[in-house]
Amino acid sequence: DIQMTQSPSSLSASVGDRVTITCRASQSIDIYLNWYQQKPGKAPHLLIYAAFSLQSGVPSRFSGSGFGTDFTLTIDGLQPEDFATYYCQQSYTNLSFGGGTKVEVK
Amino acid sequence: EVRLEESGGGLEQPGRSLRLSCAASGFTFEGYAMHWVRQAPGKGLEWVSGINWNGDRRGYADSVKDRFTISRDNAKNSLYLEMNSLRPEDTALYYCTKGSRYYSSYFNNDASDVWGQGTMVTVPS
């Protein structure tokens, strides 16, 4: 199975900051990398699919990049509603998630 | 409104079985792959199983392979997860999710664009 490693596991940031979360796959997954946001007590929701495509309705401050094994989620201008946990997911073969990155208030 | 509603969770003893259901509405159910994803209390997300639009391709996480079976009934707009030989480590909130690619032959190379609210499964140790 493909292992997904996210870093950092948590970070502290302020409103307006640029935040970057990375995800590394144990083997090449082409562009089959998705990003989700989850808030406490809520189901996750899709932010980015296929590495860099923004899901409909998701603000443009969210962006994704990468190919192969290394991927990045960037939030450009963190907003109060963005404090949450973020997960990457590979869908190249079967599916698997990274361990999550909790974005907390600095 | 696109909606997924899970049911069938509860408290079950180790070694026993449980069947989860997911009722879909608001979209053409037969056109999309479907998945089960779980989250143990206070932990991260774990993909459990996926099935393509017509059920002829299915996949499982190693942790549930040979114990869980995913199926779907397109006539009833429903997804199922048969869980056998339950273990304490199966304790989690189980989410039903919808794939985003229309009539894809595969359940992978996809993303979950709609999630239910989950149904809790508890297996005591």
Side-chain angles (χ1 to χ4, degrees):
Chain A
D1 279 5
I2 298 175
Q3 308 302 318
M4 304 302 295
T5 304
Q6 266 183 258
S7 61
S9 56
S10 66
L11 64 91
S12 298
S14 301
V15 172
D17 283 354
R18 186 176 208 226
V19 169
T20 299
I21 299 168
T22 63
C23 184
R24 175 164 287 177
S26 59
Q27 66 183 73
S28 177
I29 58 171
D30 201 286
I31 63 165
Y32 297 108
L33 192 283
N34 308 313
W35 290 98
Y36 299 86
Q37 179 194 68
Q38 186 179 32
K39 296 181 180 179
K42 300 290 188 183
H45 80 267
L46 179 65
L47 297 173
I48 303 283
Y49 63 95
F52 52 81
S53 295
L54 194 66
Q55 174 68 358
S56 176
V58 174
S60 59
R61 63 181 179 272
F62 291 92
S63 64
S65 63
F67 176 84
T69 61
D70 294 306
F71 299 86
T72 299
L73 173 70
T74 301
I75 310 171
D76 220 339
L78 194 69
Q79 295 300 299
E81 60 269 28
D82 300 336
F83 292 100
T85 300
Y86 294 84
Y87 294 93
C88 64
Q89 178 201 46
Q90 68 80 19
S91 66
Y92 183 73
T93 175
N94 273 353
L95 287 81
S96 53
F97 287 92
T101 297
K102 187 173 184 179
V103 177
E104 299 175 300
V105 177
K106 195 170 193 177
Chain B
E1 180 194 1
V2 176
R3 184 177 165 87
L4 298 172
E5 187 168 358
E6 304 91 340
S7 60
L11 175 69
E12 190 54 85
Q13 295 300 311
R16 300 293 294 268
S17 299
L18 211 52
R19 189 194 200 208
L20 305 184
S21 299
C22 172
S25 59
F27 66 99
T28 306
F29 179 75
E30 73 167 24
Y32 295 93
M34 299 293 294
H35 302 267
W36 290 99
V37 174
R38 69 185 180 183
Q39 188 167 35
K43 303 296 184 183
L45 302 173
E46 180 185 16
W47 177 80
V48 173
S49 183
I51 186 169
N52 73 335
W53 73 274
N54 66 355
D56 67 358
R57 284 188 170 89
R58 311 175 195 208
Y60 300 91
D62 285 348
S63 58
V64 306
K65 202 170 185 180
D66 300 325
R67 298 190 298 123
F68 290 10
T69 302
I70 192 171
S71 62
R72 64 189 297 162
D73 185 336
N74 288 341
K76 294 183 177 179
N77 291 343
S78 293
L79 176 73
Y80 306 101
L81 186 68
E82 188 74 38
M83 309 165 66
N84 297 322
S85 303
L86 284 165
R87 303 169 179 169
E89 54 264 37
D90 295 321
T91 294
L93 184 64
Y94 284 73
Y95 292 105
C96 166
T97 82
K98 167 189 167 292
S100 61
R101 293 175 61 192
Y102 194 53
Y103 280 113
S104 171
S105 296
Y106 303 94
F107 59 85
N108 55 349
N109 302 161
D110 200 357
S112 292
D113 64 354
V114 179
W115 295 62
Q117 287 306 300
T119 187
M120 187 69 199
V121 172
T122 302
V123 186
S125 53

